[in-house]
Amino acid sequence: MTAISIAARGATRALSRSSCLRSSILATASRSLSTNPNVVIDKFVSSPPPAAPSAAPIRHPNDVHDRNANYVDEDTRSMAGVTATVRHNWTKSEIAEIYTLPFHELMYRASTVHRMYWDPAEVQQCTLLSIKTGGCTEDCSYCSQSTRHKTFVKPTPTMKVQEVLQAAKRAKEAGSTRFCMGAAWRELGNKKNAFNHILDMVRGVNGMGLEVCCTLGMLNAEQARQLKEAGLTAYNHNLDTSPEHYPNVITTRSYEDRLETIANVRDAGISVCCGGILGLGEKETDRVGLLHVLSTLPEHPESVPINALVAVEGTPLGDTAADEETESDGIADVDAFDMARMIATARIVMPRTMVRLSAGRLSFSDAEQYLMFQAGANSIFNGDKLLTTDNPAFDEDTALFNKFGFVGKPAHAGPRVAPSEVTGEVEITKVTGAEQQYA
C-alpha cells in the first residue's frame, strides 16, 4: 500500500507539472498570436443574460408617410453580408431571380432584411369583421359571397353601427389593435345611407383607440376623402394576382379599376393595404408578376396581405380543387413553402412594408407559421372568421405569440425601430443632395 501511495503521489506531481507546462505554453502561444495581425483567434463567448426590456421602446412615427420621410436620404442597409434598399424600379427578372433562390438562401436573406428594418419580435394583430355578407354581383371565382355561385353563404343586410362597435370592443379586449370592416359589394357607388353608417362606424372604432381599416370595393376620390376625415387608417383593396392571370379569375372588374381605387386611397392620405391570393391556378411567373406590380407602385403599400386560397364548395375554384380526378393545376395547391417563398420575396423587394399572414393560416401548423414569420411576416389577422372562412381564435393566437416570444404592436403607435439599427449592427449608407435631386 505504501509503494502504491508513493507512486500515486508521484503521478499526481507529474500531471500537475504537465498541466502547468501546458498552460504556460498555451498562454505564451495566445500572447504571440494575439500580437500577430495576420492571425484571428476564434473564441467562444457565451451570450450575456438578456437586458431588462425598456419601458418605452424607440418607435417610428405611426403615419407611414412620416416614417418614409425620415429615411428619404437613405440609400442602402447592409448587415451580415446582405444588402437591401427601398426602390420602385424592380424588373420582373430581378424579382424572379430572388423568388427562385434556393430556399435556404432566400430565407436567410429575407430574415436578415427583416431584422435590418423591423423588430422581429413585434407583430401587428388585426381583426376582420364582415359588416355586410353575401349578395355581391361580382364573379370572383374564389369568392363564396358572389350571387353567381351557390355556396353556404346567405346574404345578410349591413350590420347596425352599435353591433359593429360591440365587435370592435371585443376585438380590442382580445389584444387586436387594428379593426377591419369588409362589405360584400362591387363598389360604394350611390349607397349614401350605407356609406353614412360606415362613416359612423369608422368614427366610433377610431374613438376606441383602435386603428380602422375598411374593404368596401371600388372607391372614388370623394369617398376616399370622407373616409380619411372620419378617421380611417387603412384601406384594403387586393390585386389578387398578376395582370396576365387576372382575367382568368375575375371578369366583372378590371385590373385598372383596382389600380384606380388604390390611387384614390393613396391620394387621400390613407394607408394602402394591397396583396394577393395563392392557389388561384396561377404560375410562379404570376406570383412574380403580382410582386412586380406592388413593388413598382409610386409608394409601396403600407401592408401586403399574402393569402392562401380557402377553397369553398360552390365556387368555380372550390369545385375544381375538390375534384379528385382533376390533375393538380395550382388551385388551392399551396403549402407552407409556397407561402414562405412569397412572403420572403415580398420582404426583400419591399423592406419597409408590413407583410401580413392572412387567409388560410388555419391550415398551417404552428411550426409552419413560424417559418412564415421567419420569412418576414409581421402582421396577422386574428379572430374566429375572415369574412366567411374560419381563422384561429383569439386564445389560440395569444398562446402562439407566447410560444414564439412575440409582442403585439400597439394601436396608433409606430412600429419599433429595428434593434439592429439601435445598436448600430446595420450599416446605413445615405445619398447626397445632388444624388437625391436626380434619383
Side-chain angles (χ1 to χ4, degrees):
M1 291 297 292
T2 302
I4 293 174
S5 298
I6 293 171
R9 284 196 297 273
T12 300
R13 285 194 294 272
L15 286 171
S16 177
R17 286 195 300 272
S18 174
S19 177
C20 291
L21 179 62
R22 184 166 60 252
S23 297
S24 175
I25 292 171
L26 289 173
T28 302
S30 179
R31 283 193 298 273
S32 174
L33 290 173
S34 66
T35 58
N36 186 340
N38 298 318
V39 177
V40 178
I41 301 175
D42 185 13
K43 299 188 291 185
F44 171 76
V45 179
S46 61
S47 299
S54 171
I58 304 172
R59 292 190 175 275
H60 291 291
N62 187 43
D63 185 88
V64 65
H65 304 99
D66 293 339
R67 290 204 296 273
N68 292 338
N70 283 349
Y71 295 96
V72 69
D73 62 344
E74 184 175 302
D75 184 19
T76 63
R77 292 191 170 208
S78 300
M79 186 174 75
V82 175
T83 298
T85 185
V86 177
R87 45 181 286 211
H88 302 264
N89 61 346
W90 290 97
T91 65
K92 283 187 181 180
S93 59
E94 287 175 320
I95 297 174
E97 186 177 348
I98 294 169
Y99 184 90
T100 57
L101 281 169
F103 189 74
H104 68 89
E105 179 63 24
L106 177 62
M107 287 293 292
Y108 172 72
R109 290 194 194 182
S111 183
T112 304
V113 171
H114 190 46
R115 282 158 174 74
M116 281 195 270
Y117 288 87
W118 300 88
D119 183 341
E122 185 173 67
V123 176
Q124 182 190 53
Q125 300 174 84
C126 310
T127 298
L128 178 59
L129 175 70
S130 179
I131 61 172
K132 193 274 177 188
T133 303
C136 182
T137 59
E138 298 272 41
D139 69 350
C140 306
S141 55
Y142 55 80
C143 185
S144 61
Q145 303 197 66
S146 171
T147 56
R148 301 166 186 249
H149 314 321
K150 294 183 179 180
T151 70
F152 68 92
V153 175
K154 303 302 179 188
T156 61
T158 304
M159 292 176 65
K160 297 188 181 303
V161 174
Q162 284 306 314
E163 292 176 328
V164 172
L165 297 184
Q166 288 170 4
K169 182 174 181 292
R170 291 194 298 272
K172 181 179 180 179
E173 290 170 350
S176 188
T177 56
R178 177 174 287 192
F179 190 74
C180 306
M181 298 175 285
W185 49 49
R186 169 184 165 81
E187 59 187 337
L188 274 171
N190 294 318
K191 303 176 180 69
K192 293 183 179 180
N193 191 46
F195 186 46
N196 286 332
H197 287 161
I198 288 171
L199 292 175
D200 288 339
M201 294 173 191
V202 171
R203 295 186 190 100
V205 174
N206 186 48
M208 294 181 185
L210 288 169
E211 295 178 2
V212 197
C213 176
C214 282
T215 177
L216 310 168
M218 292 188 290
L219 285 183
N220 61 38
E222 174 58 22
Q223 290 163 340
R225 185 192 65 78
Q226 291 184 56
L227 285 166
K228 173 66 176 179
E229 287 184 354
L232 191 70
T233 308
Y235 193 86
N236 168 260
H237 201 62
N238 287 336
L239 291 174
D240 291 345
T241 187
S242 70
E244 295 77 14
H245 186 56
Y246 183 86
N248 300 322
V249 180
I250 304 160
T251 66
T252 52
R253 186 192 317 186
S254 71
Y255 213 76
E256 289 70 27
D257 287 336
R258 291 180 182 264
L259 289 172
E260 183 179 352
T261 291
I262 292 167
N264 289 336
V265 168
R266 183 175 60 242
D267 292 346
I270 299 169
S271 295
V272 173
C273 171
C274 182
I277 307 171
L278 305 190
L280 302 179
E282 76 282 354
K283 299 179 175 63
E284 287 192 346
T285 53
D286 295 308
R287 296 176 184 179
V288 169
L290 170 63
L291 291 175
H292 178 252
V293 174
L294 293 171
S295 63
T296 55
L297 288 171
E299 294 177 11
H300 289 166
E302 182 233 16
S303 57
V304 170
I306 303 297
N307 301 272
L309 175 67
V310 179
V312 177
E313 184 179 353
T315 64
L317 289 180
D319 290 345
T320 302
D323 186 352
E324 296 180 358
E325 296 180 2
T326 301
E327 194 171 323
S328 178
D329 52 10
I331 296 174
D333 188 21
V334 178
D335 62 22
F337 293 97
D338 293 320
M339 291 289 287
R341 188 171 287 278
M342 190 70 172
I343 289 168
T345 307
R347 171 53 63 223
I348 293 170
V349 300
M350 294 175 282
R352 291 199 185 282
T353 290
M354 279 194 170
V355 182
R356 184 166 297 122
L357 179 53
S358 300
R361 191 161 65 90
L362 185 65
S363 64
F364 299 112
S365 68
D366 288 359
E368 288 173 328
Q369 290 183 56
Y370 182 73
L371 180 71
M372 298 171 205
F373 288 118
Q374 284 295 95
N378 58 347
S379 178
I380 62 167
F381 275 120
N382 60 12
D384 298 326
K385 291 283 184 183
L386 277 183
L387 294 181
T388 61
T389 58
D390 290 339
N391 195 53
F394 287 117
D395 291 346
E396 294 175 15
D397 283 330
T398 298
L400 189 75
F401 270 45
N402 290 337
K403 183 184 296 184
F404 294 164
F406 290 162
V407 294
K409 174 188 172 296
H412 296 297
R416 292 180 178 181
V417 174
S420 62
E421 183 177 348
V422 175
T423 60
E425 292 176 71
V426 59
E427 179 182 330
I428 301 175
T429 61
K430 299 188 176 183
V431 296
T432 64
E435 289 172 322
Q436 288 182 50
Q437 183 178 353
Y438 298 103

